[in-house]
Amino acid sequence: MSFPQFAFNNIRRNGRAYIAFFLSSVFMVMIFFAYAVFIYHPYVAELPMGDTTATGMQIASIIVYVFAFFFVMYSISAFLKSRNKEFGILTILGAEPRQIRRLVILENMLIGCLSIIAGIGGGMLLSKLFLMLTTRFIGMDDLPFYFPVKAILITIGAFLLLFFCISLFTLVFIGNKRTLELLTGTSKPKKEPKASWFFSLLGLALLTVGFMALRSELNGGTILLAAVTGIAGTYFFYSQLSVLIIRLLKRNRKTVWHGTRLLWISEMSYKMKDNARMLFMVTVVIAIASMSAVVILSLDQENREQFTNNDFPIQYNVFRPAEQLDMSAIDSKLEAAGLDYQQIYLEYLWSSADQSAVSVMPLSHYNQYNRTQGRKMFQLDTGSALFVDTRNEKDQGQIERNRFRNYAKGEKLTLNLNDSPLEARVTDTDIDPQFGTLLYATGVVVLPDEKYEEIAQQIKENMISGKYLYQIPAWGHAIPDRHSSEAMVSDQLLSSADSNASTDNQSGYLSTRYGDFERFRQGTALFTFLGIFIGLIFSISSASFLYFRLHTDLEADGKMVHSLSKMGLSFQEMKRSSTVQIAILFFLPIGVAIIETLVVVKPFLTEFGITNYTMPVLTVFGAFVLAQTFYFIIIRSRYIASLRKMMV
């Protein structure tokens, strides 16, 4: 038997241990290759968002590559520890250290080559589907299939280099251990895990500092401080604080000495200490993936809400309201499309009342707006005013900064207009948050038309704003597709506006509901698409990490279970104890990641005015818990089946 055949047989006979590692490597190669297929597609550069999308995918492929490096290195180090006894036997049989190192390198390269072949093969089969999903998700035109020679060569070169470098690194893990050390490697009795009070309290203090940093005003410095202290605190939580908590718990005999609790609590102190780095890595990657997904989904949800709450699909903001504008270009487009519409015009000026920023508007314009909305019509006498409270929950921070004052009926307000303040008595009030969104104001003072005209003639022209609003019943409030009437008319109007933007004499600024929605959606769709794949990799890899650790500990756990079964431990008791231990290893990182994500995203989203993120949070965490539960059920059944064979 030649040396390569010997290495191949080693892999084949350790197939149960290698299979999860192999499949995860294949998946990473496949994702990297899929990104490369898109990046080097000959038609991507010609698409409107092609360069941006290709850049985003390059960043994502780099993240996948870097993560694959650490994943493979950690996995191999775990395998090598479990094979110390095997290396010891080879040493007794006359194998030299350089031959063992050569064997390890050869095994790693064989698995690497098989992973690359399988990953590229799977990627080729799915490349057409991947291209179609990418373009549909991001809203681009379909890309034709091509044979990706460049993508294949880059993937082969990148992952051959990765597996070769890691194979060299693994020699450090083997070192120059003596034969006796190798033979007794995993069977040596372990010392009871100890935890430092100092480092436990330091971990708690770091987590507290990170929490307090996020509660202060967010900027680059506080975000960096929160990230560093949060990550460091998480490490000390697993390596020190959790072990200390278990030690303190074991002192309470009344609680611990009950059924199989003593068994699994004692075992957990060893498992927490041994797996601290692995649990720390899994928590960090899940937390980062969750934070990114929650933020992206919350922004997307906010974009959809803004679309459905907007009753005016076309708006034209007027630069100089004093000039009479010709809106026939928009009218003719709508008429050509066979659409019924209603146009209204709002004019308003900016002022302040008792240090509160307000907009001032003539009564006829406000009633015209109310008529389209089916709302109450108002009447005003000379010297009276109507105050409209247009705040909404998202404006709370802005309201505090603007020192907003809400006026009640019978109160007097004073408008600050240049050097001549105007006093008016509030005879009526109204509440309409949507109106505030249109004018970007939290309070509106409505005056009789004559009084408004008198004021408008006395102030500077640049203090007055105007806005044409189009209400189109046929378009409704549902999100339209790319071939709908709203999408096509909006695109035509925006194209005309862009062609006129080169002239210096612009009369205003056109915006459409669909255009704003689509621009934001395309911006976030790319990150959502990339985030889904990266989150998928993190999820699969975290389960693989846990599987490797359980497999590494299987021999030692089996010996203990064998001894305990001689003393009377039943299969059900072993099953219950093992299930609790595996469940803690699987779901503790998820629980910690959920808490960290909630702490981070709340202040971050509040800065964007987003307060309702319940559904994105439930969606992201539900997906991770569901995936982790699936892995838990499979791995638990395999692990318990292995332990059962070792019972008496």
Side-chain angles (χ1 to χ4, degrees):
M1 184 169 58
S2 65
F3 206 76
Q5 282 178 323
F6 180 63
F8 181 77
N9 287 335
N10 262 336
I11 296 172
R12 188 167 57 84
R13 288 161 188 165
N14 281 301
R16 189 183 62 180
Y18 276 118
I19 187 66
F21 167 55
F22 171 72
L23 291 176
S24 298
S25 300
V26 169
F27 190 75
M28 286 186 191
V29 173
M30 195 165 67
I31 294 295
F32 183 90
F33 175 70
Y35 284 143
V37 169
F38 186 93
I39 292 167
Y40 299 107
H41 197 290
Y43 294 106
V44 163
E46 300 172 9
L47 297 173
M49 285 191 63
D51 289 338
T52 306
T53 308
T55 304
M57 294 220 172
Q58 280 177 341
I59 295 170
S61 60
I62 292 171
I63 293 173
V64 171
Y65 189 74
V66 171
F67 187 77
F69 183 88
F70 289 106
F71 167 77
V72 173
M73 192 158 71
Y74 182 86
S75 303
I76 289 177
S77 70
F79 274 128
L80 290 179
K81 281 184 181 176
S82 68
R83 296 178 63 193
N84 276 344
K85 191 172 182 179
E86 186 182 327
F87 295 147
I89 294 171
L90 287 174
T91 306
I92 290 173
L93 293 175
E96 296 179 3
R98 63 180 178 84
Q99 289 178 308
I100 293 178
R101 294 191 186 104
R102 187 182 163 202
L103 174 70
V104 171
I105 291 176
L106 204 54
E107 285 182 13
N108 291 340
M109 292 308 294
L110 275 173
I111 291 178
C113 291
L114 292 173
S115 303
I116 293 169
I117 293 169
I120 292 178
M124 285 292 289
L125 292 175
L126 298 175
S127 57
K128 177 63 181 173
L129 178 64
F130 181 81
L131 287 175
M132 188 184 73
L133 282 176
T134 307
T135 52
R136 294 286 171 85
F137 202 92
I138 300 173
M140 300 164 59
D141 295 330
D142 286 345
L143 292 170
F145 177 76
Y146 77 109
F147 191 77
V149 177
K150 196 171 181 180
I152 291 173
L153 293 176
I154 287 177
T155 305
I156 291 174
F159 277 88
L160 276 179
L161 180 66
L162 184 146
F163 281 105
F164 180 72
C165 290
I166 288 177
S167 298
L168 294 180
F169 270 114
T170 54
L171 302 182
V172 177
F173 299 130
I174 299 175
N176 292 313
K177 292 181 181 175
R178 297 176 186 174
T179 306
L180 184 60
E181 283 182 275
L182 292 171
L183 288 171
T184 58
T186 56
S187 59
K188 282 191 297 186
K190 294 179 181 177
K191 295 180 181 177
E192 186 179 5
K194 293 182 179 178
S196 161
W197 274 95
F198 172 75
F199 286 115
S200 299
L201 293 176
L202 177 63
L204 203 57
L206 287 169
L207 291 173
T208 306
V209 169
F211 178 80
M212 297 303 295
L214 289 170
R215 287 294 173 276
S216 59
E217 187 176 350
L218 285 186
N219 54 48
T222 54
I223 292 173
L224 181 64
L225 177 65
V228 172
T229 54
I231 291 174
T234 304
Y235 178 76
F236 285 119
F237 169 77
Y238 283 116
S239 62
Q240 302 292 330
L241 189 58
S242 61
V243 179
L244 181 66
I245 291 171
I246 293 174
R247 281 178 66 88
L248 294 176
L249 186 64
K250 285 166 69 176
R251 292 182 182 178
N252 188 346
R253 293 193 173 192
K254 189 176 179 181
T255 304
V256 175
W257 289 47
H258 185 272
T260 57
R261 281 184 200 167
L262 178 61
L263 177 60
W264 68 260
I265 289 177
S266 299
E267 274 297 295
M268 278 315 299
S269 61
Y270 291 94
K271 289 192 183 299
M272 291 299 293
K273 191 73 175 180
D274 291 345
N275 298 313
R277 279 186 299 172
M278 182 271 297
L279 293 171
F280 162 71
M281 287 177 61
V282 171
T283 302
V284 170
V285 296
I286 291 178
I288 292 174
S290 301
M291 289 172 197
S292 307
V294 168
V295 169
I296 289 170
L297 290 179
S298 298
L299 292 175
D300 183 66
Q301 176 184 274
E302 176 72 7
N303 190 32
R304 289 175 181 276
E305 285 179 3
Q306 284 185 1
F307 183 94
T308 54
N309 293 334
N310 190 343
D311 292 331
F312 302 100
I314 299 173
Q315 299 181 25
Y316 193 86
N317 299 281
V318 182
F319 290 160
R320 293 177 290 275
E323 298 177 4
Q324 189 70 29
L325 293 183
D326 180 12
M327 305 301 292
S328 60
I330 298 176
D331 297 346
S332 59
K333 288 283 184 191
L334 296 176
E335 288 165 6
L339 296 166
D340 292 329
Y341 63 92
Q342 187 174 3
Q343 182 205 73
I344 63 172
Y345 175 67
L346 301 179
E347 185 177 301
Y348 52 97
L349 56 88
W350 299 99
S351 180
S352 64
D354 298 331
Q355 298 184 341
S356 296
V358 294
S359 295
V360 183
M361 172 175 287
L363 176 65
S364 61
H365 288 202
Y366 187 61
N367 278 338
Q368 189 183 18
Y369 163 79
N370 281 345
R371 191 177 297 113
T372 63
Q373 301 296 298
R375 302 178 78 243
K376 178 184 175 183
M377 310 296 285
F378 292 90
Q379 296 289 333
L380 290 175
D381 299 326
T382 304
S384 62
L386 163 69
F387 184 79
V388 187
D389 182 350
T390 55
R391 294 174 296 171
N392 55 51
E393 293 179 357
K394 298 171 185 172
D395 294 329
Q396 290 304 319
Q398 187 68 32
I399 291 165
E400 290 175 6
R401 287 193 285 272
N402 287 347
R403 302 172 67 179
F404 176 83
R405 180 183 172 187
N406 191 14
Y407 291 90
K409 281 185 182 179
E411 283 190 278
K412 279 189 178 180
L413 61 80
T414 303
L415 289 174
N416 301 311
L417 301 165
N418 295 335
D419 298 328
S420 56
L422 172 69
E423 288 191 349
R425 183 168 51 86
V426 177
T427 56
D428 221 331
T429 60
D430 198 6
I431 298 174
D432 187 359
Q434 187 188 0
F435 195 58
T437 305
L438 285 172
L439 302 187
Y440 308 108
T442 53
V444 177
V445 176
V446 181
L447 298 176
D449 287 9
E450 303 78 20
K451 180 57 69 180
Y452 175 85
E453 291 296 334
E454 183 183 327
I455 295 171
Q457 291 176 2
Q458 296 174 3
I459 65 172
K460 297 177 182 176
E461 186 181 353
N462 60 8
M463 294 176 65
I464 304 175
S465 300
K467 188 184 290 279
Y468 284 94
L469 303 174
Y470 284 81
Q471 192 176 52
I472 305 168
W475 286 356
H477 290 87
I479 306 292
D481 59 37
R482 296 178 60 198
H483 305 291
S484 65
S485 164
E486 180 171 357
M488 289 191 286
V489 173
S490 297
D491 287 344
Q492 291 170 7
L493 289 173
L494 290 171
S495 297
S496 301
D498 288 342
S499 61
N500 295 331
S502 56
T503 61
D504 296 332
N505 189 26
Q506 293 182 56
S507 57
Y509 170 74
L510 174 74
S511 66
T512 67
R513 184 175 66 174
Y514 176 78
D516 293 344
F517 169 80
E518 191 62 17
R519 195 180 307 117
F520 190 87
R521 192 193 68 79
Q522 287 185 352
T524 57
L526 172 61
F527 295 103
T528 305
F529 184 75
L530 300 178
I532 288 172
F533 274 88
I534 292 175
L536 201 58
I537 291 172
F538 286 166
S539 176
I540 292 174
S541 302
S542 64
S544 300
F545 278 147
L546 292 164
Y547 177 78
F548 293 146
R549 288 304 311 183
L550 288 173
H551 181 81
T552 305
D553 297 337
L554 184 60
E555 185 181 352
D557 291 348
K559 288 179 181 175
M560 187 189 69
V561 168
H562 180 76
S563 301
L564 290 173
S565 66
K566 283 183 179 177
M567 297 179 214
L569 181 74
S570 68
F571 171 68
Q572 289 302 325
E573 288 172 328
M574 180 276 290
K575 187 178 174 182
R576 195 180 310 124
S577 172
S578 299
T579 300
V580 172
Q581 292 177 54
I582 299 171
I584 291 173
L585 292 177
F586 264 81
F587 293 106
L588 181 62
I590 290 267
V592 176
I594 287 174
I595 293 170
E596 292 185 346
T597 301
L598 290 175
V599 169
V600 172
V601 298
K602 184 179 179 182
F604 192 75
L605 290 175
T606 304
E607 283 290 309
F608 287 95
I610 300 174
T611 54
N612 181 16
Y613 45 86
T614 307
M615 189 54 68
V617 165
L618 292 177
T619 303
V620 172
F621 294 153
F624 269 109
V625 170
L626 196 64
Q628 206 73 351
T629 304
F630 175 73
Y631 302 138
F632 166 73
I633 292 171
I634 294 175
I635 293 173
R636 169 192 162 276
S637 63
R638 291 174 62 89
Y639 183 76
I640 289 178
S642 300
L643 286 183
R644 187 173 190 177
K645 294 175 184 174
M646 300 177 186
M647 295 188 75
V648 176

